[in-house]
Structure formats: structure tokens, C-alpha cells
Amino acid sequence: MSFLDRIAECRGWEPDDYRPFVIDDMVLGRVPHDLTRRLTDFPKVFDVSGRAVSLVPELSGFAERTNAVAEVLHRLRDAGEIPRWRDEDYPVLRHWGDAPLLTIERAAAPLFGVRAYGVHLNGFVRGPEGLSLWVARRAQNKATAPGKLDHLAAGGQPHGLGVKQNLIKECAEEAGMAPDLAARAVPVGIVSYRCARAEGLRDDVLFCFDLDVPAEFVPKNTDGEVESFALWPLPRVLETIRDGTEFKFNVSLVILDFAVRHGILGPDDPDYEEIVAGLRLAPDAA
Amino acid sequence: MSFLDRIAECRGWEPDDYRPFVIDDMVLGRVPHDLTRRLTDFPKVFDVSGRAVSLVPELSGFAERTNAVAEVLHRLRDAGEIPRWRDEDYPVLRHWGDAPLLTIERAAAPLFGVRAYGVHLNGFVRGPEGLSLWVARRAQNKATAPGKLDHLAAGGQPHGLGVKQNLIKECAEEAGMAPDLAARAVPVGIVSYRCARAEGLRDDVLFCFDLDVPAEFVPKNTDGEVESFALWPLPRVLETIRDGTEFKFNVSLVILDFAVRHGILGPDDPDYEEIVAGLRLAPDAA
């Protein structure tokens, strides 16, 4: 087993299985063929052709698009076709920082293959023997990746909340961390990937943060999403990532990025170039 | 002016201007059409077709390939067709860590558009007002980028030397730094780009290092390649990068990567996603 296996697991998808999801002549996602067929039932919202699934041009503003798509999604949900409804709005946009073209229910984002954003926190502790990382065990009743190992705090990026604010909120909910400590987290870059998963096509951009956690801090979950926490020496974390899939798939990538940035992996490792290149999609990978 | 301008300057090249340079059915570079025509003069070494420039299959080992290509390159040099000959061997390989297929004179690497590797050192100082970065002014008589601003130490990665060893050597030559200090530099990742420059097609992978430089250290150039050094507050460095091209083109990218990793730039900046994605090529960008 190798770190490259973890990267490969975040890369598998088959373009022929999808049709581009187009708004205003821009590709914003990818819709699988079964959902494409279903969307022909809603011709006032979706213009389905052999080449693309487009929002009809009459839906030209943020509110119009959001409301029209939401109406379709609610009907699909009521028909049992959208599992794990979250009641959380995700922005749909071409580049982070753009005004969103619409928002979409979180559970539908992978169904339409639209890009989703998230925050992940590497909560680390410096010790005499090197770095350790706080590791969470996800609750067994989580909808996705139950029982897998996770970051101290992480979460999706909803519409209308700043990225740092979202991180502070997740730190409070998932790890019981005070806002003034969470605010010390440093943004350190991005990990991104696109892959087919059970929930659909994940096209994710993760904003990564590092936090030098004081030795006296003890995390305490407040939202029931975490079963337990443990502080692991970084070598144990990396061996676990290398040897299997006990860590949630995308958490492995963010921790590999941490190991690269902190010089735990270096260019005299023959896989270094491929590992580093595998942590982000190309800028123009639309 | 914007940081994205610096990234755009490391990205411009036109695929139609080149033919793939192929060894053992693998694309290892890109040869412009005028050099392609010239290489038809050496049919025992290069097999030139309308689609590719290939090494002839009879050249099947490292030494055979290296010697045969070197003989051609020496004849081109003697005819004045390879300026700035360096007498430095660069490895030609598909991925860092692979055994090289051959070595090639450094000055010829951009002529064949083969991937070249290098090391760059962010030498920073922590102060009460934040981070400062050691900045070098390149000598006016340098073959490339005379007078431009540069890192404390940086250089190409020759064949047969470890990456860290190379960095230590460059730190001694360019900044008069003792090996035990240079050895404390931490590998922090990769910046990569492909662009057409005066010297040819640059397809570079830069191994980046950070060094927390002690306040008492004063750099002293020993090889005549640096005119002067100065310690600049990071905001001044970033403003200079944003507003123009006083920094050498690839140094700007490595410093932007530094700013991202140290949280000077963050996800609440609307250009963040594009800046971060622009610092590396895609893994499969052959």
C-alpha cells in the first residue's frame, strides 16, 4: 500500500457517465444519465439535450434559479429520490469569490456534480518527539463514512457564512473549542479532487487550516457526530493512511498535504512529485 | 495588477508550436519546429516525423542515449545554436524518483522542452511585526533575468546530487550559509509551471524549502551571481509581486506559495482559489 493509493481513490470518475450541467454557457457540474432522464420531467427548469443539461435561459437571476431548482429538488425528495436531505444551502459558482449563480440543497450537490467547498482543521500538538495530530472517530450513525477517522473539526461550506466563521462554528460543534482558540487557526492552502462516490460525483475544494493546539486542550464533541477523540503521533497517522482506508477518503489527502508542508515528506522520497501533484486539481479542470 | 498576472506569466505556451519529444513511447518534452527541422540532420539519433521527434529505438540504454544526444548538442553548440552552455547535466525522466532515461546539457533542456527540476529557499525572519523575507538582487551580468529580485538561494537540480544536498550547496555558493544552518531548511512542497520564455519552453518543478533564519545571519554571496541582499517585510515583498515583474518570474510563484502556506493569503480573498490552483500543474499534465 502507498500514499498514492489514497490519492487514486480521490480521482476515479468516468466523463462518459455524465452530461455537463450548464448555466449561462458555463459548465457548473455533471449530471449522471439517470438523473438527466428524470429532469426531462421539468422542462420549465431544465433544458435537456443529448449534450448537456442546462438551466432554461428564462431563469436569469439568483433568486429565480434558486427557487425553480429548489421546487424540483423538493419534488424529487418527496418521491424518495434524494436521500440524506440536509436542509443546508450550498452556493453554486464558477470560482470561489464569485457571486453564486444559485444555491442548491447540500444533498443534491453531488447528484448534479457541482463543486462543493469545505473546511478541514489539522489540530496538531508539538511535543519533544515531534508532531501529533488530533484524530476524531466519526459516529457510527453518520450518513457518510460512519466510524471512519476524521479531523479534529471539518465541515461543508454553506452559503452566506465566511470561511473562517464556518471553521470556528465547526470547531465549536465538533470539538467544543472556544472561538478565540479556533480563530488562531491559520489558512494554509487548498486540497481538491473529483471522484465518483456512493453519494454522487464529488467535486470538492477543501480549505485547509492548521492549528497549533495547546497541550491542555481536550476536545469534546457537542453535536453527536463524533464518537471519540485521540491524539496520535504523526508517524502513526501516516502509517494508517498509507496502509488502508481507516481515515475518511478526503481526510487522508488533507493530512498528506500537512505532511508535505511540514517537511515530513520530502523530495528525496521517490513518490514525492506524484503525491504533491495529486493533492490538487488543475486550475482549468472545469 | 494582481497576483493572477504573475501566475499567467508562468502559463503561456502554444502546443501547436511544438512536436512531442518521445523516448520509449513516452512524451518527455516538446521540440519547436525550427529545432525539429535541424534535428533531421542527425538521423542516427533522432527520428523526426510529422507528429513527433523520437530518439531512435537503437539507443536503448542510459549511456547510449546520453552520449548520442551529447554528440549532437556539441555540434549544435559549436555551430552557435545553443547559447549559454552551462556544462551541467540535467536528468531527463518521466517522474522525479525514476531512473533518468538520459542526461542532457542544462542549456538544452528548454530547447527540447524537457522537465527541469530546481530548489528554491524562502529564507524568512520572524519579527515583532510579522515575517520578513531575505531578497537577493541578481547580478547584472547573469545570463537569465539580470538585475531581477530572487530568493536567498535557488538553483537548478543537476543529475547525481540529492535535492537537500543541492540546496545546501546553493546556500553556500549564493548566500555564504554554513551547511549546518542550511540543513535546517524544511521541504514544504512543489511549485510547477510550463511556459514559453526566451530560452525555450520551461517545464519546471521547483522543490520549495522554508528556513527560519536566525536574526544574526547576514548573507554573503560567494559566486558573483548576486549583487546585493536585503531583508524585506513580507507585505513589501507581496506588493512588489502584485504590482510588477521586479521579481524573477518563477520566484514570484514560490513566494505566493509561501504566503498561502503561512496564512498571509486566505480563503476570504476572492482570488484565493485561482491563486492556489495556479501554483502547480495538474498531475497528469504530461
Side-chain angles (χ1 to χ4, degrees), chain B residues 10 48 89 117 122-123 130 133 154-155 174-175 186 199 206 217 232 237:
Chain B
C10 294
V48 177
D89 293 333
Y117 295 82
N122 300 296
L133 201 66
E174 299 203 339
V186 177
E199 64 271 25
L206 305 183
F217 173 77
W232 283 21
V237 173

Side-chain angles (χ1 to χ4, degrees), chain B residues 27 50 78 89 91 163-164 173 180 185 187 199 238 250 276 284:
Chain B
V27 176
D78 296 343
D89 293 333
V163 175
K164 189 70 176 273
E173 290 173 3
D180 61 336
E199 64 271 25
L238 292 175
N250 53 7
V276 177
D284 43 351

